[in-house]
Amino acid sequence: MIFDPSEHSFQDTHKLMIGSIVPRPIALVSTISKDGKYNVAPFSYFNGVCSNPPTIMFAPARRGYDGKTKDTLNNIRDTNEFVVNIVSENFADKMVACSTDFEPEIDEFDVSGLTPSPCQKIRPHLVKEAQVSYECELNQIIPVGNESPGSGFIVIGTIVLFHIADDVYENGKINLEKLRPVGRLSGNNYIRT
């Protein structure tokens, strides 16, 4: 089969991408708005960039139904700060509860039952349930596409502080059997290590 994305809807292309780029790590990104409202949302277009300086990236798409930017991106543009929380099995269901497009005034910590915990170097709160969290300062935002639904952005952040649970940190490494990270597959499917 040959599939030319210029001949299909972005929704059809999206299904092929999320069905073949698997498994994907999940960044549960927590931010704060300029007026102090908290936001938590998962993104599975996420990965590391480099280690010096420690840098990550994630890609929030524009909403598929109206092309508007998501609260996470808006908050990062306004504050230049965000937290990436790594999702483990023990709170994956609460992460899923954050994946709806809520209105900006809704606090996903409240909706999901996740616990906000203060960061040390930045204003947003991290997710207390996460065994690994990165306090990040914005490096840059790169727009991709033509501002239509499904186009998006690459958000690049520099990690300024790592939070690692003592029991998952062993001899300078992360013990994956204890971290038990969750990855994203296609649709509503997830994978465990």
Side-chain angles (χ1 to χ4, degrees):
M1 182 188 114
I2 300 296
F3 182 93
D4 184 339
S6 68
E7 297 174 0
H8 297 273
S9 71
F10 85 86
Q11 293 95 336
D12 290 341
T13 302
H14 177 72
K15 289 175 190 172
L16 291 179
M17 291 180 69
I18 65 170
S20 60
I21 304 170
V22 292
R24 297 185 307 280
I26 302 169
L28 184 57
V29 180
S30 47
T31 60
I32 190 171
S33 68
K34 59 185 173 185
D35 56 352
K37 291 183 175 53
Y38 293 107
N39 176 269
V40 184
F43 297 88
S44 64
Y45 283 170
F46 157 62
N47 223 310
V49 175
C50 65
S51 302
N52 187 18
T55 304
I56 57 89
M57 60 76 56
F58 75 99
R62 290 179 177 273
R63 295 192 312 203
Y65 55 91
D66 65 5
K68 291 185 178 179
T69 56
K70 297 181 179 180
D71 297 337
T72 299
L73 179 69
N74 298 336
N75 292 346
I76 293 170
R77 281 180 167 159
D78 289 341
T79 67
N80 294 317
E81 298 176 334
F82 60 98
V83 182
V84 170
N85 304 278
I86 303 300
V87 179
S88 294
E89 289 180 39
N90 64 319
F91 68 96
D93 56 336
K94 293 181 178 184
M95 173 272 300
V96 172
C98 298
S99 62
T100 300
D101 282 328
F102 293 103
E103 293 300 317
E105 64 274 4
I106 301 298
D107 182 339
E108 286 85 355
F109 280 109
D110 290 338
V111 170
S112 65
L114 290 167
T115 310
S117 182
C119 286
Q120 294 182 23
K121 293 190 172 189
I122 63 174
R123 287 185 54 222
H125 284 177
L126 57 82
V127 173
K128 187 174 183 179
E129 289 80 358
Q131 297 180 88
V132 176
S133 297
Y134 311 134
E135 294 188 27
C136 298
E137 292 179 350
L138 178 63
N139 177 302
Q140 63 180 304
I141 298 172
I142 302 167
V144 179
N146 61 3
E147 299 185 9
S148 63
S151 62
F153 304 85
I154 299 169
V155 175
I156 301 172
T158 302
I159 301 170
V160 297
L161 197 66
F162 290 78
H163 293 259
I164 304 168
D166 292 339
D167 62 336
V168 302
Y169 183 81
E170 294 178 1
N171 302 317
K173 297 178 182 176
I174 302 296
N175 181 322
L176 292 179
E177 290 180 9
K178 292 182 179 178
L179 178 62
R180 300 179 72 182
V182 174
R184 187 74 192 267
L185 298 173
S186 62
N188 293 320
N189 297 311
Y190 296 87
I191 190 169
R192 297 178 292 183
T193 52

